[in-house]
Amino acid sequence: MPTTLMPIDPAVSPLRANRIPAISASLLPEETVAGRNARRALIWVVVMVVVVAGLCAAWFALAYRDKQAAEHELDAATVTVSDLQREQRTYSKTVQVQNEIATLDGQLKTVMANDLDWSALLDTVRSTGTPSGIRVDGVNGQLNGADGGGAAVSNPLPATNGATTIGALTVTGTGPDKQAVAAYVDALAKLTVVANPYVTNVATDEKTGVTFSLTVDITQNALCGRFTVACKPAGGK
């Protein structure tokens, strides 16, 4: 009887062909597995601790370096301050003299607040009459409150230029005629250092023409001096 070889069904795996069941199982005790997991977790904890410790050490080193640099800068600044203080002591007398000068200037400005350049004022009064042929023979002046009271002679009229009056002048002189005296009065009225010129007397003189006397107020614009406002040449408004 003939025998025919039949191919093995490819759908059947070798395991099924050999009838070997696919079974897997862990035969390690639970204590061993738990120990391995614990050791693995411990290793990770140690690694994290080492990393954190390294970062802390790096931060500490950086902070220490910055602290050292700040201490060096502080030492350098302290040395600089000490040098400057030592140099300042060297010039202490000069600084003291400068402070005394500044104090003295302030006191002089206070004392000389009402300083008046009488020479410049008298020259202005005299030169103002020159174009009209007026010759000033005498000037008598006094500031308000110079003797504890008002000025010796004071014009009751308000200042025409709006300036505050601080005293008065009495001017006497001669001129060619009354028109010249009137022109002189008009010229005085245009000045800023005086105000309110007022003729008190005019008399005819056969030899000199006319003699006159007038009063004029001194304004605050005339105040000047070395320690207050610098004196300027008197002029018109």
Side-chain angles (χ1 to χ4, degrees):
M1 179 176 181
T3 302
T4 303
L5 296 177
M6 299 295 292
I8 299 176
D9 187 0
V12 179
S13 63
L15 292 177
R16 293 184 62 183
N18 297 324
R19 302 295 181 177
I20 300 177
I23 299 173
S24 62
S26 176
L27 301 179
L28 293 176
E30 292 183 1
E31 294 80 2
T32 303
V33 175
R36 289 180 178 181
N37 292 336
R39 285 194 297 272
R40 189 179 298 109
L42 180 61
I43 292 173
W44 279 109
V45 170
V46 172
V47 170
M48 293 299 297
V49 170
V50 171
V51 171
V52 172
L55 293 176
C56 292
W59 175 82
F60 178 79
L62 181 61
Y64 181 76
R65 187 188 64 180
D66 293 341
K67 177 177 175 293
Q68 291 295 107
E71 290 179 350
H72 289 316
E73 292 179 358
L74 178 61
D75 294 340
T78 303
V79 172
T80 302
V81 170
S82 300
D83 294 340
L84 292 176
Q85 289 177 345
R86 185 166 52 255
E87 293 179 1
Q88 184 179 12
R89 285 192 294 270
T90 304
Y91 299 101
S92 59
K93 293 184 178 180
T94 303
V95 174
Q96 181 180 359
V97 171
Q98 291 177 346
N99 293 335
E100 292 176 353
I101 292 175
T103 303
L104 182 60
D105 286 342
Q107 294 174 349
L108 288 174
K109 288 180 180 179
T110 302
V111 173
M112 306 298 289
N114 294 325
D115 191 17
L116 177 63
D117 190 350
W118 286 101
S119 177
L121 181 60
L122 297 180
D123 288 342
T124 299
V125 171
R126 291 191 180 97
S127 62
T128 302
T130 301
S132 302
I134 299 296
R135 187 183 70 181
V136 176
D137 296 328
V139 178
N140 183 19
Q142 185 176 357
L143 296 178
N144 295 336
D147 57 353
V153 179
S154 180
N155 197 319
L157 297 176
T160 56
N161 58 11
T164 303
T165 58
I166 60 172
L169 295 175
T170 300
V171 183
T172 59
T174 59
D177 49 37
K178 294 182 179 180
Q179 288 78 9
V181 175
Y184 179 48
V185 172
D186 290 339
L188 289 175
K190 295 178 180 179
L191 299 178
T192 59
V193 294
V194 294
N196 304 325
Y198 182 77
V199 178
T200 57
N201 183 42
V202 177
T204 302
D205 190 322
E206 296 180 355
K207 296 182 180 180
T208 59
V210 296
T211 60
F212 69 91
S213 64
L214 60 84
T215 61
V216 63
D217 291 336
I218 305 172
T219 68
Q220 195 171 9
N221 296 329
L223 295 178
C224 64
R226 176 181 177 185
F227 299 100
T228 54
V229 180
C231 295
K232 298 179 181 179
K237 296 180 182 179

